[in-house]
Amino acid sequence: MWNLARKLLLHDRLRFAVAIAGVSVSVMLVLVQVGLYFGFMDTASSLIDASRADIWVGKKSNDSFEFATPFDERTFYRVSSVRGVERTQRVLINFAQIKLGNGGDLGAQIVGIDMTPGVKPMLAPWNVIAGDAHRLAEPGAIAVDKSEYPKLKIDHVGHATEISGVRAEVVAMTNGIRSFTTSPIVFTDIRTARSFMPQLGAEPVTYVLVKVAAGESVDAVKARIDALPHLAAYTRSEMSNRTRSYWSSRTGVGAGFFTTAVLGIIVGFVVVGQILYSGTLQYIREYGTLKAMGARNSAVVKVILSQAMISAALGFAVGAPLAMGMRAAMKGANLTVALSGQLYVATLVITAVMCAFAALLSIVKVLRLDPASVFKS
Amino acid sequence: MVAVALDETLPMVGPAQATLARLVGVGKTYGTGENAVAALSNATLDIRAGEVTLIEGPSGSGKTTLISILGLLLTPTTGEIWLEGRNVAGLGEKQLPALRARNFGFVFQGFNLFPALTALENVAMAIQMKDPKARDPKGEARRLLELVGLGPRLHHLPADLSGGQKQRVAIARALGGNPPILVGDEPTAALDTKTALSVMELLRELANHSGRAVVVVTHDPRLERFADRVVRVEDGFIQAIDSAGSHQ
């Protein structure tokens, strides 16, 4: 069946090329759109995913990770005293204006972390490619991602600037840490962060990061913290999913990307369906002859399904490298297309299902084909 | 005389003159009530091993309906179809493909060969589709193509074959699975006279040497010399069954 299906497809090479082009575009659109979506979601939760905390604690009223309202230092101590907590660290996240080299200002997402000397921070800049992140404990020290250098008019580690009128110096450069909000992420010590954002009041804290003591259940400790007034505790993965879900649903970004992906599937479906159907019509007398001579419907259906599967496989083989090329091209525009093995497998399955459904019209045609019709020419 | 490489090992499908299929009082009516049109009425016909039967008649006379019913492609409104020792007229679509595969091979005016497949592949694929468990479809296809004189053209595409050669491929395809009855629907209509006669000669030889029954619908009276019997159909009725027997 495979051999017959392959030869029937290849007999009209132009039509076959159109079918493969249709499937390839479909595969590429699905991979790139879903990959972009996952890339954005990875970016949205990257700070949480990169942390070493077992539990994130914030205000119960918080909707968004980035736009969370702070509480004061006393809450930090209340969380620290909960049974089963090994240690805690403070995080302050908010926005401040950073002075640009050309005299302008740009909003930046300030991430203030606990850089207590001798204690490994549960959240710290990663992928440091220049400078020294340990120096963040120094007053005014900041770390900025390489991708934000052009936007911030920064060209080297050691560059001095101002944030909210307070002197700041770039002491470390990272690679690949980007904000979902498009405002550059600026890492600094929480004390420096507080000086950048005096409007937040005395000793503000946005999140408390919790390390659970050995032998304690994370869920049990989380429940105890949750019982504290006005606080909500989430495991790291819960916090990550919550943030992804917020950006996906509140901004409509999820619907946007998936709509384009579905459009890609529809394009592939229509092109393959049309090609298979016209091919079936072209050979309808031959199929009728086979049915007249006793070929079962299942045998003829297998030929058509085999054509659909060949189109799916070849379309995927062409479309997947195209998506990889798009990923490389988009990297230059600071866009992350997250193409995982699971996404490739899922897209292959979707492509196969799409092509199988596209073959339905052809299958119905041959199933309804009256073998006696071959006598009627 | 066209040389036909008849294979002496081709099994006889039945003793000469044995009845392979029988139509008894078969009729086919399309539509109901005032719109009813009788395409065929009260047709009775024996199909015998080793015989070539021509079915002749003007267009619209019921020839196609007759062979469609004989070939189990059309369910009669009335009458019986005897095959394999039983009346199969009432069988459903589930049982018919296997029955057709065992008993009939079909040859058409338009050849109906897959243009993307070589002669060998066209025949092998039909054998495999008739019987997915066939042991060596390609070997069987090669043997049948050699039988119809196409040994040197096994790997040619239909586009590279003459009309007569294409029809021989179609005949080889019809022989796949060794059915006892070959049914031809104007198999020579698209061929020039010389080629048409050579194709009929091949069918005649197949009837003689392998004991197959060959039933051919035709408008061409020149083919009568290859026939044992000529069935004349007019206005939905079998008007006459004449013995020809000129081949002997």
Side-chain angles (χ1 to χ4, degrees):
Chain A
M1 299 306 162
W2 288 104
N3 192 40
L4 173 61
R6 181 178 59 84
K7 292 207 167 193
L8 292 183
L9 282 172
L10 285 174
H11 188 61
D12 190 336
R13 285 168 197 266
L14 182 63
R15 191 164 58 184
F16 184 50
V18 172
I20 297 307
V23 180
S24 306
V25 168
S26 174
V27 167
M28 189 193 69
L29 275 174
V30 170
L31 282 173
V32 170
Q33 289 301 312
V34 179
L36 268 173
Y37 169 76
F38 283 129
F40 276 119
M41 292 303 105
D42 287 349
T43 301
S45 65
S46 62
L47 287 175
I48 301 159
D49 298 332
S51 75
R52 295 184 196 89
D54 294 323
I55 297 170
W56 280 68
V57 183
K59 268 196 167 175
K60 201 162 254 169
S61 55
N62 288 344
D63 272 344
S64 156
F65 174 75
E66 288 83 358
F67 302 103
T69 51
F71 41 74
D72 62 33
E73 190 96 342
R74 286 172 297 176
T75 306
F76 166 67
Y77 290 113
R78 276 211 298 277
V79 173
S80 302
S81 63
V82 168
R83 185 163 53 87
V85 172
E86 183 189 302
R87 62 191 174 95
T88 51
Q89 288 183 353
R90 296 157 296 182
V91 174
L92 175 61
I93 296 179
N94 218 298
F95 292 85
Q97 295 294 314
I98 186 166
K99 184 73 76 185
L100 304 179
N102 60 6
D105 293 296
L106 182 74
Q109 185 182 341
I110 309 297
V111 179
I113 55 177
D114 237 335
M115 291 297 291
T116 307
V119 179
K120 195 170 185 182
M122 282 189 259
L123 176 63
W126 64 99
N127 287 347
V128 176
I129 56 171
D132 180 6
H134 294 102
R135 287 187 57 202
L136 286 177
E138 298 171 10
I142 60 172
V144 180
D145 196 76
K146 178 182 153 190
S147 61
E148 309 289 8
Y149 269 36
K151 206 188 282 182
L152 294 171
K153 316 288 183 207
I154 293 173
D155 54 7
H156 66 284
V157 171
H159 176 95
T161 183
E162 282 180 14
I163 298 177
S164 303
V166 178
R167 186 182 182 279
E169 181 191 344
V170 178
V171 297
M173 177 169 71
T174 61
N175 185 28
I177 303 179
R178 283 191 295 275
S179 162
F180 188 78
T181 61
T182 72
S183 296
I185 290 178
V186 174
F187 280 97
T188 186
D189 180 74
I190 190 165
R191 286 166 288 268
T192 304
R194 285 170 173 167
S195 70
F196 292 156
M197 299 174 286
Q199 76 281 7
L200 296 179
E203 301 188 320
V205 175
T206 318
Y207 295 106
V208 179
L209 306 189
V210 175
K211 194 77 187 167
V212 172
E216 288 283 349
S217 153
V218 172
D219 285 337
V221 175
K222 189 185 86 159
R224 282 176 211 137
I225 298 170
D226 243 347
L228 296 175
H230 311 301
L231 292 181
Y234 304 98
T235 63
R236 188 173 58 219
S237 64
E238 284 171 352
M239 188 70 181
S240 175
N241 290 336
R242 199 166 175 269
T243 301
R244 286 166 173 255
S245 170
Y246 173 83
W247 285 111
S248 180
S249 58
R250 287 290 180 88
T251 61
V253 69
F257 283 120
F258 281 102
T259 300
T260 312
V262 168
L263 283 176
I265 292 171
I266 292 171
V267 167
F269 176 83
V270 170
V271 172
V272 175
Q274 196 278 331
I275 297 288
L276 288 179
Y277 189 67
S278 66
T280 302
L281 287 184
Q282 184 183 352
Y283 299 121
I284 201 72
R285 296 193 59 75
E286 287 76 10
Y287 289 132
T289 302
L290 293 176
K291 284 184 74 171
M293 288 200 284
R296 291 190 173 275
N297 274 330
S298 57
V300 184
V301 167
K302 272 183 197 169
V303 174
I304 294 170
L305 272 180
S306 301
Q307 291 181 63
M309 291 305 105
I310 289 170
S311 302
L314 279 178
F316 184 83
V318 175
L322 283 176
M324 289 178 201
M326 291 290 281
R327 176 177 63 175
M330 287 181 172
K331 204 171 182 180
N334 277 340
L335 287 170
T336 304
V337 182
L339 298 176
S340 63
Q342 287 167 317
L343 179 56
Y344 280 119
V345 172
T347 305
L348 181 59
V349 171
I350 288 169
T351 309
V353 171
M354 172 191 83
C355 289
F357 272 99
L360 272 183
L361 200 58
S362 301
I363 289 169
V364 169
K365 184 77 184 172
V366 295
L367 288 180
R368 287 186 177 171
L369 172 63
D370 178 4
S373 64
V374 291
F375 278 130
K376 293 170 187 163
S377 64
Chain B
M1 178 85 170
V2 174
V4 177
L6 277 173
D7 187 341
E8 295 302 325
T9 65
L10 193 67
M12 293 288 284
V13 295
Q17 305 306 311
T19 299
L20 298 175
R22 171 172 290 164
L23 304 182
V24 183
V26 164
K28 180 70 182 177
T29 303
Y30 294 100
T32 54
E34 287 181 1
N35 299 321
V37 176
L40 189 69
S41 303
N42 199 29
T44 296
L45 181 66
D46 280 0
I47 302 300
R48 299 185 198 120
E51 273 193 1
V52 173
T53 303
L54 287 193
I55 299 177
E56 290 185 357
S59 296
S61 60
K63 305 186 299 293
T64 299
T65 302
L66 179 61
I67 58 163
S68 296
I69 290 173
L70 169 66
L72 306 180
L73 297 170
L74 199 60
T75 307
T77 314
T78 58
E80 298 170 354
I81 307 168
W82 286 82
L83 195 69
E84 296 182 345
R86 60 184 170 143
N87 177 15
V88 298
L91 292 183
E93 196 47 46
K94 281 197 172 172
Q95 295 103 315
L96 290 178
L99 207 55
R100 282 202 298 267
R102 282 200 301 273
N103 289 282
F104 297 99
F106 295 95
V107 183
F108 304 97
Q109 176 183 340
F111 320 126
N112 298 352
L113 301 172
F114 282 102
L117 302 186
T118 64
L120 185 69
E121 289 166 340
N122 260 295
V123 179
M125 187 261 304
I127 292 169
Q128 200 173 10
M129 284 222 171
K130 278 177 142 183
D131 178 11
K133 293 175 187 162
R135 282 203 304 181
D136 180 15
K138 279 215 166 172
E140 174 71 357
R142 184 185 301 271
R143 194 179 68 76
L144 291 172
L145 283 164
E146 284 167 357
L147 177 73
V148 298
L150 282 180
R153 297 279 187 275
L154 296 178
H155 302 292
H156 284 58
L157 292 171
D160 301 325
L161 298 173
S162 67
Q165 288 169 335
K166 284 180 202 168
Q167 199 56 291
R168 283 165 185 268
V169 176
I171 291 169
R173 179 179 63 184
L175 292 172
N178 199 28
I181 304 169
L182 287 190
V183 177
D185 179 31
E186 303 268 12
T188 60
L191 306 175
D192 62 67
T193 303
K194 188 180 167 190
T195 310
L197 295 179
S198 76
V199 165
M200 273 312 292
E201 205 155 350
L202 170 62
L203 293 173
R204 174 73 262 169
E205 292 291 330
L206 286 169
N208 285 351
H209 291 271
S210 62
R212 280 186 171 75
V214 175
V215 183
V216 172
V217 166
T218 184
H219 281 95
D220 188 350
R222 291 172 304 173
L223 304 186
E224 287 178 8
R225 63 185 165 106
F226 298 97
D228 296 288
R229 290 181 302 158
V230 177
V231 177
R232 299 184 198 283
V233 184
E234 212 169 309
D235 296 330
F237 289 91
I238 293 178
Q239 300 290 355
I241 301 178
D242 302 328
S243 291
S246 61
H247 69 286
Q248 288 146 349

